[in-house]
Amino acid sequence: MTMMQYRTVPKNGDKLSALGFGAMRLPTRRMSIDEERATKQIRSAIDAGVNYIDTAVPYHGGESERFLGRCLQDGYRQKVKLATKLPPQNVNTREDMDRILGIQLKKLKTDHIDYYLLHGIEGSQWKRLHDLGVLDFLDTAKADGRIRNAGFSFHGDRKAFKEIIDAYDWTFCQIQYNYLDETNQAGTEGLQYAASKNVAVMVMEPLRGGMLAGKLPAAVQQVYDKSPLKRSPAEWALRWVWNHPEVTVVLSGMNDENHIAENIRVCQTAFPNAMSDAELATIADVVAAYRGLVPVGCTGCAYCMPCPFGVNIPMCFSMYNDYHIGANRILTRGMYGAMLMGGVMPARADASLCKQCGKCAKACPQHIAIPDELAKVNRTLGGLRTKILMPVVRMMFPKEVKE
Ligand code: SF4
Ligand code: SF4
């Protein structure tokens, strides 16, 4: 019988399953978590060797943590390392941090969180939390045992990522990483930087919100069809992430029994540096096929940043490109609203802020006509169809953390 693959956290020696269970897309029934089915899924994944469970306040409108508290009864809590996150949008004072952690411990029916993250920080959100005393909070919570390890999840640019890595003795971080995000956000450079500082890296969005699994654009599927290896697109994408020795846990937001079984099967043999040159060449061809389909050839290098008017240029282009190459369009609009139009992040950074000053375009090695392209992004993603989604987006990130 093959066994679950475990990878070691450099700073504490924990052996974590290379596949982590993300509790953000659990099976639902009549708009609520299908508790019976989700409990069976999570417990059977733990029985198969998964020992890292990741949740957060906003998942399932605040219900994911509460559900996990119940799901991990009957001895399952002791079998896993539990990760949850401090929601920056709900933190306005140093006291809020203790209050929210207290609520999370109650909801999760536990006396400690094994892996505690600052949720989804980037440059400005990090600075705000830092000034409110978040490092003192983490030190105190570690010292009194409420949390065991501190980390952060991240959606900003590489410069901000390195600054945050250098600012504290983090045990781990969590980044978006997949074969289309090598130069986007933290990217491969960030992954390697974290690893060089002995910071474990948990990977989220290995399938880019499902975009790299299921039905792919024809030009991309043709590349996979040429390979003698008959694998699902999801297996290819996951194997690529696990191929990186710097990656500790790959989080998958699972809700389908067949997908869970497939992920566990793939994880058992997807060791670091296990992919052959031919397999890596297939992935390189897949990336090239995607690049041929995107409307803006932005590599996410961020040389154009910062924009004096606050536009997050690479993120605008990344979402605009996703919109055109098979991502779920409503979800992409929702993300654009949440991340860039002030839905969740404190400052707006969307394409409508562009004043056409032209400063960024001079710095772009890809010679992208950035202001013109941003005008198109704004027309596509910044319009009424996104604005009417904003109340839903805000509802998903409640103002209050309730018990
Ligand atoms: S052209 Fe627009 S995006 Fe570029 S720097 Fe000026 S305001 Fe910012
Ligand atoms: S400089 Fe050009 S390629 Fe780099 S992130 Fe900005 S727009 Fe994209």
Side-chain angles (χ1 to χ4, degrees):
M1 192 179 87
T2 17
M3 303 290 285
M4 171 58 64
Q5 179 192 169
Y6 294 91
R7 297 191 180 186
T8 306
V9 176
K11 286 195 183 171
N12 64 16
D14 278 356
K15 299 213 176 314
L16 303 181
S17 53
L19 175 67
F21 205 116
M24 80 288 274
R25 296 186 195 112
L26 297 165
T28 54
R29 213 163 144 247
R30 294 195 203 102
M31 311 281 284
S32 302
I33 297 170
D34 182 341
E35 291 227 3
E36 197 185 330
R37 190 171 165 208
T39 301
K40 267 194 205 143
Q41 290 181 349
I42 291 177
R43 290 186 175 187
S44 61
I46 296 170
D47 292 340
V50 169
N51 69 358
Y52 190 86
I53 312 279
D54 173 81
T55 184
V57 169
Y59 298 169
H60 289 279
E63 287 304 311
S64 173
E65 287 184 328
R66 209 172 275 119
F67 156 73
L68 276 179
R70 293 188 286 269
C71 170
L72 295 177
Q73 295 301 297
D74 304 328
Y76 280 90
R77 171 68 186 93
Q78 289 71 33
K79 296 180 183 178
V80 296
K81 300 293 183 193
L82 188 54
T84 192
K85 313 184 183 85
L86 182 73
Q89 68 276 9
N90 300 111
V91 174
N92 294 308
T93 63
R94 167 72 180 75
E95 291 70 42
D96 283 344
M97 302 173 196
D98 289 306
R99 185 179 55 78
I100 291 169
L101 174 56
I103 294 172
Q104 291 176 296
L105 290 169
K106 265 196 200 159
K107 284 168 82 179
L108 286 159
K109 296 185 190 296
T110 186
D111 62 0
H112 72 278
I113 307 295
D114 300 286
Y115 285 78
Y116 196 65
L117 305 91
L118 312 183
H119 195 174
I121 52 174
E122 35 62 73
S124 60
Q125 198 66 287
W126 160 246
K127 190 173 175 326
R128 202 178 67 83
L129 286 182
H130 183 271
D131 293 350
L132 288 173
V134 81
L135 296 185
D136 172 64
F137 162 70
L138 294 175
D139 280 342
T140 311
K142 274 199 290 189
D144 64 28
R146 284 173 295 160
I147 69 171
R148 297 283 156 88
N149 299 284
F152 64 94
S153 66
F154 183 81
H155 283 295
D157 63 49
R158 268 184 295 298
K159 190 163 159 277
F161 180 76
K162 288 183 179 176
E163 276 169 25
I164 299 171
I165 285 281
D166 289 342
Y168 188 66
D169 184 17
W170 308 105
T171 305
F172 71 114
C173 63
Q174 187 169 310
I175 62 170
Q176 172 170 327
Y177 195 59
N178 54 67
Y179 62 67
L180 284 188
D181 282 325
E182 275 220 79
T183 58
N184 198 25
Q185 300 188 16
T188 304
E189 197 183 316
L191 171 75
Q192 290 173 348
Y193 190 74
S196 76
K197 306 267 168 170
N198 285 330
V199 176
V201 180
M202 318 313 192
V203 166
M204 58 183 157
E205 303 296 357
L207 305 176
R208 234 185 189 208
M211 196 178 108
L212 307 183
K215 190 161 165 44
L216 305 183
V220 177
Q221 187 60 51
Q222 277 164 19
V223 178
Y224 281 138
D225 290 346
K226 279 192 221 139
S227 167
L229 292 163
K230 294 304 156 215
R231 293 173 175 163
S232 70
E235 176 169 352
W236 276 106
L238 289 169
R239 281 190 183 278
W240 183 87
V241 180
W242 275 315
N243 197 50
H244 294 77
E246 302 90 350
V247 169
T248 303
V249 172
V250 175
L251 290 164
S252 182
M254 303 184 279
N255 55 29
D256 176 285
E257 289 74 9
N258 293 329
H259 292 163
I260 297 170
E262 182 187 10
N263 289 353
I264 290 173
R265 175 186 63 75
V266 174
C267 178
Q268 289 168 340
T269 57
F271 299 113
N273 297 318
M275 287 182 100
S276 68
D277 289 348
E279 289 170 82
L280 292 172
T282 296
I283 294 288
D285 290 346
V286 162
V287 173
Y290 270 116
R291 296 250 179 272
L293 297 173
V294 297
V296 183
C298 172
T299 62
C301 70
Y303 292 148
C304 53
M305 294 284 281
C307 156
F309 297 94
V311 182
N312 188 328
I313 300 165
M315 204 176 265
C316 283
F317 288 153
S318 167
M319 290 187 192
Y320 182 64
N321 283 343
D322 284 359
Y323 188 85
H324 286 94
I325 57 171
N328 179 312
R329 290 192 159 187
I330 295 177
L331 211 64
T332 309
R333 282 184 182 287
M335 284 297 284
Y336 188 81
M339 306 290 289
L340 298 175
M341 289 173 69
V344 179
M345 293 299 175
R348 287 186 65 152
D350 63 288
S352 74
L353 303 179
C354 174
K355 299 276 183 269
Q356 308 263 322
C357 73
K359 174 182 167 276
C360 54
K362 293 187 195 112
C364 178
Q366 308 301 323
H367 307 294
I368 295 167
I370 296 176
D372 295 350
E373 296 297 344
L374 283 175
K376 292 184 204 161
V377 175
N378 188 40
R379 279 200 295 279
T380 306
L381 290 176
L384 193 61
R385 276 184 291 169
T386 302
K387 285 184 189 138
I388 56 175
L389 280 178
M390 293 298 272
V392 184
V393 168
R394 292 208 176 92
M395 236 166 60
M396 288 170 72
F397 295 89
K399 280 262 170 291
E400 286 295 321
V401 180
K402 295 201 188 103
E403 283 190 26

